[in-house]
């Protein structure tokens, strides 16, 4: 498999973690979002939306959107399952994942920050206010669910890692990169700590990828 | 079943269409997003995130997030399937649905518009620019996929209605409510027209719900 991503892309991070958990080999191709490589014709030929991540499996067409890729991996590689077996549990895990992947993360991606700057002349400080606000709102919503729902456990759903944890980790990692305090959300912080203690999560971290500032 | 929603909520619209297509009876409860009923304690007890839609099936806990609800309905009520049977097809349909539900729609919901006004003092005209821009970006991305992918057909994926069409319709309906021209995206416009010719879609339209301005 080939994973098109970028070291700091939080949506790519989700796919990277899932591939690690399921022990699936792949080559990772970095699309430099800073220089605008996602808009180049050769990448648009792969993904006409011009965003990462994209996964290529064999000679099939490109798979796009991180949660759709996770579901695909789950269907084809059921080892280390990332969804429970009961429909209500699956719905809860997907719902928690979507709080991150729909309601929080898409608000803070580079194209949105660039639009706020270009169109409304928001300062860097204002853009940071924006980013931290929507990340915090996502963390707050997951924290509220973890406190509210009887299915919460060592992880978001019971005592097994799921897509919800993968998404939550992507949000928490991003929040820390923007100097946010994940500890403000104690249940979230515990789940994230438990995940990051595992090599499949830890080695997927943005700062451990090629091209990252702190990477060797 | 009980569906908590709001007449003009585009995420609720998706669930309403799926319930119609699958001929599932439900009672719809309107949560007035204008007066802030989604923040009231009694609704937060149902959904701690304080957003719609929410679906209650029997005495189980509330189901939340529109795409998670669609997947739940698909698993329990497979009649009138909303996903293809092959994993690559399922991934493509989910990916298209997520272009709408992740990358476009969450940017234009009331809480985001309110934040832009309250925090950055954007004018109504600027907020309209914002809304139309992100809706257009979603439509542009789906249009590009419809043109690019060999699996496109009468509908987003082949010649059968899927979750992708449901999400696309929700975006197109919203774009029209904000005076956008869906015809600027010819492939999208054809799919949407084909869907809206069906009663399951047409009767789910925001303006045909109780509380809508044009409703009887």
């Amino acid at each position: 498999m080939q994973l098109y991503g970028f070291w700091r892309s939080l949506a790519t991070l989700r796919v990277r973690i899932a591939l690690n958990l399921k022990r699936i080999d792949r080559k990772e191709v970095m699309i430099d979002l800073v220089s605008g490589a996602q808009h180049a014709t050769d990448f648009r030929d792969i993904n006409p939306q011009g965003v990462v991540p994209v996964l290529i499996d064999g000679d099939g067409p490109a798979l796009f959107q991180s949660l759709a890729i996770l579901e695909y991996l789950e269907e084809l590689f059921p080892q280390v399952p990332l969804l429970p077996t009961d429909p209500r549990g699956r719905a809860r895990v997907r719902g928690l994942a979507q709080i991150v992947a729909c309601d929080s993360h898409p608000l803070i991606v580079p194209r949105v920050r660039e639009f706020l700057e270009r169109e409304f002349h928001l300062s860097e400080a204002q853009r940071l206010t924006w980013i931290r606000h929507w990340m915090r709102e996502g963390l707050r919503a997951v924290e509220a669910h973890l406190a509210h729902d009887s299915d919460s456990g060592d992880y978001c759903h019971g005592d097994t890692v799921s897509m919800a944890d993968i998404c939550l980790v992507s949000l928490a990692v991003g929040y820390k990169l923007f100097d946010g305090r994940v500890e403000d959300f104690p249940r979230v912080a515990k789940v994230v700590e438990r995940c990051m203690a595992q090599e499949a999560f830890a080695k997927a971290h943005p700062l451990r990828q090629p091209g990252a500032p702190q990477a060797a």
Side-chain angles (χ1 to χ4, degrees), chain A:
Chain A
M1 291 194 194
Q2 276 185 297
L3 174 61
Y4 289 81
F6 188 49
W7 65 268
R8 73 173 189 201
S9 156
L10 301 173
T12 304
L13 168 58
R14 294 175 205 144
V15 178
R16 204 183 285 133
I17 295 169
L19 291 167
N20 289 349
L21 285 167
K22 290 176 178 289
R23 299 180 183 279
I24 300 170
D25 274 337
R26 79 286 187 175
K27 197 185 130 200
E28 198 160 334
V29 183
M30 291 294 168
I31 301 297
D32 186 348
L33 303 186
V34 177
S35 72
Q38 70 276 30
H39 306 306
T41 311
D42 57 345
F43 185 67
R44 292 265 179 180
D45 284 345
I46 297 171
N47 183 7
Q49 196 188 357
V51 298
V52 293
V54 164
L55 187 71
I56 313 276
D57 181 17
D59 54 3
L63 302 155
F64 52 97
Q65 289 287 332
S66 66
L67 292 189
I69 295 173
L70 294 196
E71 295 271 358
Y72 175 84
L73 293 174
E74 184 69 2
E75 291 182 356
L76 285 195
F77 305 90
Q79 70 269 27
V80 193
L82 300 176
L83 282 172
T85 51
D86 62 305
R88 280 186 194 277
R90 295 162 73 82
R92 180 168 178 270
V93 166
R94 285 174 171 137
L96 293 173
Q98 288 162 22
I99 288 176
V100 174
C102 299
D103 287 351
S104 177
H105 176 253
L107 289 147
I108 67 103
V109 295
R111 62 182 174 276
V112 174
R113 284 137 59 184
E114 285 158 18
F115 188 82
L116 288 170
E117 183 182 10
R118 190 178 68 237
E119 196 72 27
F120 302 133
H121 312 294
L122 294 197
S123 66
E124 195 183 335
Q126 286 176 309
R127 283 176 277 139
L128 272 174
T129 299
W130 168 267
I131 289 168
R132 289 188 190 127
H133 174 80
W134 294 113
M135 289 187 137
R136 212 160 43 231
E137 283 299 294
L139 292 167
R140 193 194 310 275
V142 176
E143 179 79 13
H145 268 285
L146 295 183
H148 173 273
D149 305 348
S150 59
D151 285 323
S152 310
D154 278 352
Y155 294 96
C156 285
H157 193 79
D159 298 328
T160 320
V161 165
S162 71
M163 288 181 192
D165 303 296
I166 292 177
C167 287
L168 182 58
V169 162
S170 74
L171 177 58
V173 162
Y175 194 53
K176 279 188 195 171
L177 289 177
F178 285 105
D179 297 323
R181 285 172 39 90
V182 178
E183 314 85 84
D184 293 344
F185 307 93
R187 288 175 183 82
V188 164
K190 270 192 193 161
V191 169
V192 170
E193 191 186 2
R194 208 164 268 131
C195 290
M196 293 308 288
Q198 300 172 38
E199 189 59 11
F201 282 85
K203 73 180 178 192
H205 193 285
L207 295 180
R208 287 180 62 181
Q209 307 314 309
Q214 281 91 332

